[in-house]
Amino acid sequence: MMKFIFLMLAMVPLSFLNYFWLTQFIWMLMVFLFLLNYSFNYMYMYISYDFGADLLSYLMLLLSFWVCSLMVLASHKIYYYKFWSDLFLFTMLVLMLSLFLAFSSLNLFVFYVFFEVSLIPTLMLIVGWGYQPERLQAGIYLLFYTLFASLPMMIAIFFYYKNNGSLNFYFLMVELNEPVLYVCMNMVFFIKIPLFFVHLWLPKAHVEAPVSGSMILAGVMLKLGGYGLMRMMVVFLNLGMKINFFFIGLSMLGGLIVSLICLRQGDMKSLIAYSSVSHMGLAVSGILTLNLWGMSGALMMMIAHGLCSSGLFCLANINYERLASRSLFLNKGLINLIPSLSMWWFLFVSSNMAAPPSLNLMSEIMLMNSLLSYDSLNMLFLMSLSFFAAAYSLYLYSFSQHGKLYSGLLSFNSGFMREYLLLLLHWLPLNVLILKGELMCFWV
């Protein structure tokens, strides 16, 4: 683990020398080096100091490296117009370092510290490179929603240490049976995922963030919440059997309401952000069922959503860079202008609505099995969620690609090689990983 930490620290001077594409190459090299560290020993792959990775941590880290390398590829505009590109690379490096330390930590308190640290560079990305003045308000929402539940969690961690004598994930033996402690410990994860009712920061943050900010938020930051819940549910097994049904019901109902909200969005990024709430609500429900199918399905959903949602934000940004608007009323008839980009819209939208052969389909099938075994009444919600996911995905596609061309349209080129490479690197793992789906079922 230390070799990756030192490699990232060695990249700090490189960021300030402004070697933009060399930095991109090193990120891709890091992904390759990290892939070489895969091991079939599912317990802990490699441990050094207080860091290590089982399969769950490994997949989250791999997703983080992958999305961070694609963030540089998507942010050509920052490099081209010299919008503090050196500081941008440094901020991204700090963000990846904090995510690396959070996901690979073997200690609950160290995980908590870096979970909170990752908030600062994200805030810098939104406030520093966002497009509109409202980005300040979005940053405040993000900060205060997360900090609201942070102090109770820290106190709950200290209380647990007093009772258990260790905060190592491997030694979380003592179960807690207090609903107050359940809420204190898990609320910060529910906000991060986000659960319905505490999700309002997400659409705001996505809409105001630059493309790199949206990618890291959708691709990795939401996964911190799911990862934390998976780690902590072992402490609340008995209590979870009694009260998890409430949160499952809330996330199912919330997913349904958010799907209906998606159907009346006029802003492309806002629609994609709300669809994230709906998908991650399903993943939360899977984790809270406390069974193998639910946990494995949630892990798959997190990886699939990380790639698919990130890709959709890239597509929305490609349109925004040409038309200078995210409005669906102005982004119309694009199939006449850039048919090759329309193909990519179709591929990502079909993945978003869980069409084969995407990883989304496999994860939804597993989560459906899990939730139906928990309570057959969930069938009503699952049917509605699947239907409305298809409805808002097709609404996004047909509204932006078909129809009459906007008359104020400027002439522009039909896409760069860099953009198509970026989309391919999102789509390929999303649709190829289903061939090795069994890997995601063995970590529990």
Side-chain angles (χ1 to χ4, degrees):
M1 301 306 275
M2 298 306 286
K3 61 188 168 194
F4 292 103
I5 296 171
F6 278 117
L7 181 52
M8 280 185 273
L9 290 173
M11 281 174 72
V12 173
L14 196 66
S15 304
F16 287 107
L17 290 170
N18 214 359
Y19 289 122
F20 201 82
W21 298 118
L22 179 60
T23 310
Q24 160 72 57
F25 172 74
I26 294 174
W27 277 114
M28 282 295 184
L29 188 66
M30 253 197 279
V31 173
F32 179 68
L33 289 173
F34 196 70
L35 273 169
L36 291 178
N37 277 286
Y38 180 76
S39 161
F40 285 94
N41 173 15
Y42 290 111
M43 210 49 224
Y44 279 106
M45 294 194 191
Y46 39 98
I47 298 178
S48 58
Y49 297 90
D50 205 24
F51 301 102
D54 60 359
L55 194 67
L56 172 62
S57 303
Y58 180 83
L59 289 171
M60 291 292 108
L61 285 167
L62 190 57
L63 182 67
S64 306
F65 275 124
W66 190 247
V67 171
C68 277
S69 62
L70 296 181
M71 274 167 67
V72 186
L73 200 58
S75 303
H76 174 258
K77 199 174 177 182
I78 291 172
Y79 169 70
Y80 187 76
Y81 291 110
K82 297 286 183 281
F83 288 146
W84 294 88
S85 53
D86 49 354
L87 189 62
F88 170 77
L89 290 173
F90 177 68
T91 307
M92 224 184 71
L93 203 56
V94 174
L95 179 57
M96 183 59 224
L97 196 57
S98 62
L99 287 169
F100 186 88
L101 294 170
F103 284 131
S104 63
S105 167
L106 301 180
N107 185 288
L108 179 57
F109 186 71
V110 177
F111 166 69
Y112 166 79
V113 168
F114 289 107
F115 177 90
E116 296 302 331
V117 166
S118 64
L119 192 68
I120 299 160
T122 314
L123 193 67
M124 284 177 68
L125 276 177
I126 293 171
V127 176
W129 289 273
Y131 303 122
Q132 293 156 304
E134 287 88 354
R135 64 183 186 266
L136 290 170
Q137 188 194 14
I140 296 292
Y141 262 62
L142 170 67
L143 192 64
F144 277 90
Y145 261 90
T146 312
L147 290 181
F148 169 73
S150 289
L151 187 64
M153 187 191 175
M154 188 168 72
I155 294 164
I157 288 172
F158 291 160
F159 177 81
Y160 189 74
Y161 183 60
K162 181 172 173 286
N163 284 346
N164 191 47
S166 170
L167 287 177
N168 194 303
F169 285 128
Y170 197 72
F171 297 116
L172 300 183
M173 303 294 186
V174 176
E175 284 197 28
L176 296 175
N177 287 310
E178 286 295 323
V180 177
L181 283 170
Y182 179 95
V183 172
C184 285
M185 193 76 91
N186 293 318
M187 199 62 198
V188 71
F189 301 133
F190 286 142
I191 288 172
K192 201 72 171 181
I193 276 186
L195 190 69
F196 187 70
F197 280 132
V198 284
H199 72 285
L200 285 175
W201 64 269
L202 185 75
K204 273 191 171 298
H206 272 310
V207 166
E208 303 306 330
V211 61
S212 52
S214 287
M215 283 170 70
I216 199 72
L217 268 171
V220 185
M221 298 298 282
L222 303 189
K223 313 301 172 277
L224 274 169
Y227 174 83
L229 273 180
M230 285 178 170
R231 290 286 188 217
M232 290 317 298
M233 272 302 130
V234 73
V235 177
F236 296 104
L237 286 176
N238 285 325
L239 184 65
M241 297 297 278
K242 298 187 186 87
I243 65 170
N244 277 359
F245 74 91
F246 172 74
F247 291 100
I248 290 173
L250 182 64
S251 59
M252 293 262 99
L253 183 63
L256 182 56
I257 294 167
V258 164
S259 298
L260 292 170
I261 292 171
C262 282
L263 284 171
R264 54 178 300 280
Q265 288 299 313
D267 185 318
M268 292 164 84
K269 276 184 100 171
S270 187
L271 195 157
I272 300 163
Y274 273 112
S275 79
S276 292
V277 180
S278 176
H279 283 111
M280 293 313 290
L282 202 58
V284 174
S285 306
I287 294 167
L288 296 182
T289 54
L290 301 177
N291 57 32
L292 175 67
W293 281 69
M295 290 284 184
S296 304
L299 174 60
M300 259 187 219
M301 175 63 88
M302 291 199 296
I303 291 164
H305 172 266
L307 293 164
C308 183
S309 202
S310 178
L312 282 167
F313 279 117
C314 288
L315 277 165
N317 182 67
I318 289 168
N319 280 16
Y320 177 76
E321 284 179 354
R322 284 159 176 71
L323 282 86
S325 172
R326 296 187 311 266
S327 172
L328 277 167
F329 303 107
L330 300 183
N331 283 271
K332 288 189 76 67
L334 294 174
I335 198 166
N336 302 304
L337 290 170
I338 328 176
S340 51
L341 204 61
S342 286
M343 182 195 76
W344 283 109
W345 269 108
F346 174 74
L347 290 173
F348 277 102
V349 157
S350 63
S351 293
N352 197 43
M353 60 190 259
S358 67
L359 198 60
N360 300 60
L361 175 71
M362 193 168 179
S363 64
E364 281 201 17
I365 290 170
M366 293 183 82
L367 287 167
M368 282 178 182
N369 274 293
S370 166
L371 287 159
L372 286 176
S373 69
Y374 190 81
D375 190 341
S376 54
L377 278 175
N378 284 328
M379 189 66 197
L380 296 170
F381 287 115
L382 290 167
M383 282 163 58
S384 310
L385 277 171
S386 291
F387 174 75
F388 285 116
Y392 64 68
S393 297
L394 291 172
Y395 160 68
L396 173 64
Y397 177 77
S398 57
F399 223 82
S400 61
Q401 303 308 311
H402 298 291
K404 194 174 181 183
L405 279 173
Y406 169 53
S407 57
L409 204 60
L410 302 169
S411 62
F412 53 75
N413 65 347
S414 60
F416 298 107
M417 184 76 81
R418 172 186 61 83
E419 290 168 340
Y420 292 121
L421 175 66
L422 174 66
L423 295 170
L424 179 72
L425 291 177
H426 274 108
W427 185 83
L428 207 60
L430 177 63
N431 288 270
V432 169
L433 275 173
I434 196 167
L435 299 175
K436 290 299 286 179
E438 74 272 11
L439 290 181
M440 295 168 210
C441 307
F442 287 140
W443 66 273
V444 179

